Amino acid sequence: MSKTKGQNYMHGAAILTVGVIIMKILGFIYKIPLGNILGDEGYSMFNSAYSIYFIFFTLATAGLPVALSRLVAEADANGRAKQEEKTFRVALATFAVIGIVFALILFMFPEWLASKYLENPDAALSIKAMAPSILLVCLVSAYRGYCQGNGNMLPTTVDEVLEVLFKVISGLILASCFLKAGLGKPTGSAGAILGVSIGSVVSLLYMIVYKRRHYSELAASYTAGIHDPEDTPNDDELVDPAWKIVKDILSIGIPIAFGACIMALLNSVDSKLCMNRLQSAAGFTYYEAKVLYGVYGKAQTLFNLPAAFITPLTIAIVPAISGAIARGAGDEAIRTSEDSMRISAVISLPMGAGLTVLAYPIMNVLYPGSNTAGPGLLRIMGIASFFVCIVLMENAVLQASGKEKLTMLTMISGGLVKIIVNWFLVAQRQINIYGAPIGTLVSYAVMALMNCIFICTALGHRPRFIRIFARPLAAGALMSATAWAVYGLSSGVIGADSWPHIALCMVLAVGAAAVVYLVSAIALRSVTREDMKLIPKGEKIADILHIK
C-alpha cells in the first residue's frame, strides 16, 4: 500500500482550517440552539460537565498525539519506515489503556465530581454520559497523530468534521426529545452530551478504514511499514523496543499534556470557584449563581472561536519544525516558527477585536433573552482570546523544539494567577461573574510574556517580535475603529431596539470591518506573497488580491 504524501506545513494547516470552519458552523448549530433549548440554568449543567470532560479530553489529545506525531515525523525524516509503524502500534495500545482508566473515572464517580468538585450536583448525569466518548477519543488520537506525523492533515480534517456532524445531529435530537418527554433539564443536558459519544464512534470507524486503505495494515508484519518501493530501507533496519517507544511518548507527551491540562483544569476551576464564591461570598442564591455561570458559558463558546482557527497551525508546525531540526535545517525551523507566529496574529487579532467591539450585538443576536451580563463578559474575553492564540503558538514552537517542559511551567504559573484573581474578584458582589474573564485575561497575558522569555533564552534565537506583531496590530486597530463607528452610526440611523435591527447593524459593521482589515493587512504587508505560496491556490489568490 503506498504511503499518502504529506503536505507542507501551511498546506496542511489550510486543510485543517477548512475543517475548523465547517466544524465551527456545525458547533454554532449545536451550542447556540442548545443554549436556547436548555436555558441559562440547563446550560450551566452542560457547561460544568463539559469542563470535567475537557480535562480528560485534554490529557488524551493534547500531549500524547503531539508526541506521536513528533516521533513519527523524526522517523520519517530519517527514512525509518518500520519504526513509524511500530511507534503507531505501541501508541495505540498505550492510548487504549489510558482511555479505559479515564472512562472508568467518569462513569464510576459522577456524583462526587458534580457535587464535591463542581458544586453543581445536577451535572452528575451529564458527566456519566461522557464516559464512553473519552475512550473513543483516545483511540482516535493515535490514528490522527500518526497521519499528522506523516504530514497528512486531510484524514484529521475529514474525521473531525464527521465527528462534529454526528454530535450535532444526535445531541440536539436527544436533548430535545428528553425535554419534550418531561425528563427534566439534567437529563436533557445528558442527552446533548451523549451525542459526543455517538460522534466519536463514527470518528473512530473512519480513521480505522482510512489507515487500512492508505497506510500499512495493522495485521501486517513490521515490514509493511515500508510504504513506497522507492523508499525501501534495508531489511536489517532496527526498530526501538516497545518499552522505549512508550518511554519516549510519555516523556514528550506528559509535560505537554500536563501543561495543557492546567488550562482544562481552569475551566473546571472556573465552575467550582464561580459557583462557590458567587454564593458564599457575593451573596447570590444557587439559582442566580447558575444563571450567571450559564451566561458566562455562552460567552465562552464565542471566546473559544479564535483559538480554534489557530490550533490547526499549531498541529501542522510541530512535525514541520521537529522534522527540520532532525535534518539539521535550523534556519528553516526558525523561519517556520516566526512565520507561524505572525500568521497566528493576523488570524486571531480581527476575531478577538471583533468580539470586544461588537460584544453587545453579538450576544443579543445569538443569545436573545440571556442575562444582561453577557456583553460585558464577552468584551473582556475578546481581548483575552488574542493572548490565548499567542500562547498556543508559542507552546507549539517550544514543544516542537524539544522544550515542552517549559510550557508546563508556563501553564502552571498562568493557572495559579487565574485561581488567585478569580478567588478575590468573583467574591466581590459588584464584580461577581466578571471576575472570571478578568482572571482569564490576566493569566494568559502572563503566560504569553513568560513564553516570549523562554523562546528568547532557551532556543538560542530571539524572534523579531516587533516585525511579527506590529503590522497585524496596526491593521487590527483600523478594523476595530471601523466596526465601532459603523455599528454606532447604523444603530443611530436604523435603531437598535429590536432583534432584526440589531442583527442588521451588526452585519453592516462586520462587513465594513472585514473589508478594512483585508485592505489594511495587504497594504501593511501583514501577509506576504511567500505566505500565500504555501497554501493551495495561494498564488492565484495573491494575484487577485494584488499581494506583493
Side-chain angles (χ1 to χ4, degrees):
M1 191 69 67
S2 63
K3 182 177 177 179
T4 301
K5 298 299 180 184
Q7 305 97 10
N8 66 62
Y9 79 97
M10 277 299 293
H11 193 157
I15 292 172
L16 289 170
T17 301
V18 171
V20 166
I21 293 171
I22 297 172
M23 287 188 293
K24 283 301 165 183
I25 293 172
L26 293 172
F28 277 115
I29 294 173
Y30 178 58
K31 285 193 173 182
I32 291 178
L34 182 64
N36 293 322
I37 289 170
L38 296 176
D40 289 342
E41 180 185 3
Y43 200 76
S44 75
M45 304 169 198
F46 175 87
N47 203 46
S48 293
Y50 212 86
S51 71
I52 286 287
Y53 168 78
F54 194 62
I55 296 172
F56 293 94
F57 177 84
T58 301
L59 284 170
T61 61
L64 300 179
V66 171
L68 175 57
S69 71
R70 191 167 123 188
L71 292 174
V72 170
E74 290 171 356
D76 187 58
N78 292 313
R80 302 180 66 195
K82 294 181 185 179
Q83 180 65 32
E84 289 184 54
E85 182 66 16
K86 185 171 182 180
T87 299
F88 166 74
R89 296 181 185 214
V90 173
L92 182 63
T94 304
F95 290 12
V97 172
I98 293 171
I100 291 171
V101 173
F102 288 172
L104 287 174
I105 292 172
L106 289 174
F107 188 79
M108 296 176 66
F109 305 105
E111 290 83 7
W112 184 89
L113 290 169
S115 60
K116 301 298 182 182
Y117 183 72
L118 295 176
E119 299 191 13
N120 194 349
D122 291 332
L125 191 58
S126 296
I127 293 173
K128 196 169 188 176
M130 286 178 170
S133 64
I134 197 64
L135 170 59
L136 297 166
V137 164
C138 285
L139 297 175
V140 169
S141 294
Y143 287 90
R144 291 178 181 173
Y146 177 83
C147 294
Q148 290 161 12
N150 278 290
N152 185 9
M153 307 300 165
L154 181 60
T156 296
T157 301
V158 175
D159 183 58
E160 288 177 341
V161 170
L162 286 173
E163 180 182 356
V164 175
L165 176 63
F166 280 87
K167 178 184 77 173
V168 168
I169 295 172
S170 56
L172 288 178
I173 290 174
L174 289 173
S176 181
C177 289
F178 288 170
L179 287 176
K180 287 181 180 178
L183 299 178
K185 290 186 176 180
T187 306
S189 173
I193 285 173
L194 205 57
V196 177
S197 296
I198 295 172
S200 298
V201 170
V202 176
S203 170
L204 179 59
L205 291 175
Y206 169 79
M207 291 304 295
I208 291 173
V209 172
Y210 186 92
K211 187 176 187 302
R212 286 185 176 272
R213 291 185 62 184
H214 296 274
Y215 295 94
S216 58
E217 295 185 2
L218 292 176
S221 63
Y222 290 135
T223 55
I226 303 171
H227 303 293
D228 194 324
E230 297 178 1
D231 298 328
T232 302
N234 295 326
D235 291 336
D236 295 332
E237 178 194 337
L238 298 176
V239 294
D240 295 336
W243 67 266
K244 185 180 186 304
I245 295 174
V246 172
K247 176 178 175 293
D248 289 341
I249 290 173
L250 295 180
S251 63
I252 297 171
I254 287 178
I256 298 173
F258 186 79
C261 188
I262 294 297
M263 306 320 299
L265 280 167
L266 290 182
N267 291 326
S268 61
V269 166
D270 263 351
S271 178
K272 181 178 177 62
L273 281 183
C274 289
M275 293 296 293
N276 178 282
R277 301 297 282 169
L278 284 171
Q279 295 173 77
S280 63
F284 292 95
T285 66
Y286 175 56
Y287 172 78
E288 290 171 333
K290 285 197 293 183
V291 169
L292 287 173
Y293 186 71
V295 74
Y296 173 53
K298 292 177 178 179
Q300 279 184 310
T301 300
L302 300 165
F303 159 74
N304 291 327
L305 182 62
F309 286 89
I310 299 302
T311 300
L313 188 55
T314 66
I315 292 172
I317 70 163
V318 169
I321 294 176
S322 59
I325 293 173
R327 295 192 305 271
D331 291 341
E332 179 186 340
I334 292 171
R335 184 173 62 254
T336 300
S337 64
E338 288 192 348
D339 288 345
S340 60
M341 290 175 67
R342 174 173 51 80
I343 293 169
S344 69
V346 171
I347 295 171
S348 61
L349 265 169
M351 289 189 284
L355 292 176
T356 296
V357 175
L358 300 176
Y360 177 82
I362 289 172
M363 285 297 293
N364 281 279
V365 168
L366 297 179
Y367 296 110
S370 292
N371 189 277
T372 55
L377 296 171
L378 188 58
R379 287 191 187 96
I380 302 169
M381 296 172 81
I383 301 171
S385 68
F386 170 71
F387 289 100
V388 172
C389 293
I390 298 304
V391 169
L392 287 174
M393 188 53 61
E394 291 172 333
N395 282 351
V397 171
L398 289 168
Q399 290 162 5
S401 305
K403 304 296 182 181
E404 58 275 348
K405 291 183 175 62
L406 294 177
T407 65
M408 182 173 64
L409 178 60
T410 298
M411 294 299 185
I412 292 173
S413 301
L416 291 174
V417 170
K418 168 72 170 170
I419 291 170
I420 292 170
V421 174
N422 271 18
W423 177 266
F424 287 104
L425 293 189
V426 175
Q428 307 300 314
R429 189 173 179 87
Q430 64 273 26
I431 298 176
N432 58 77
I433 195 64
Y434 292 100
I438 292 172
T440 299
L441 172 59
V442 174
S443 66
Y444 275 102
V446 169
M447 286 187 279
L449 179 60
M450 289 181 65
N451 275 347
C452 284
I453 295 171
F454 289 149
I455 289 174
C456 291
T457 57
L459 300 184
H461 166 69
R462 185 183 299 274
R464 295 164 291 185
F465 288 112
I466 295 178
R467 180 180 176 183
I468 291 170
F469 294 116
R471 292 174 181 176
L473 282 170
L478 290 172
M479 186 217 73
S480 299
T482 301
W484 175 80
V486 171
Y487 182 78
L489 290 172
S490 59
S491 61
V493 174
I494 300 173
D497 52 355
S498 64
W499 188 94
H501 289 169
I502 297 174
L504 178 58
C505 294
M506 183 186 75
V507 169
L508 292 173
V510 169
V515 172
V516 169
Y517 186 75
L518 180 62
V519 172
S520 59
I522 294 172
L524 294 170
R525 298 198 67 191
S526 298
V527 179
T528 67
R529 192 175 188 85
E530 293 301 312
D531 296 332
M532 300 302 294
K533 288 180 180 179
L534 295 173
I535 65 175
K537 307 295 183 182
E539 287 195 82
K540 291 184 178 179
I541 298 173
D543 290 335
I544 294 171
L545 297 177
H546 302 289
I547 298 176
K548 299 180 180 180

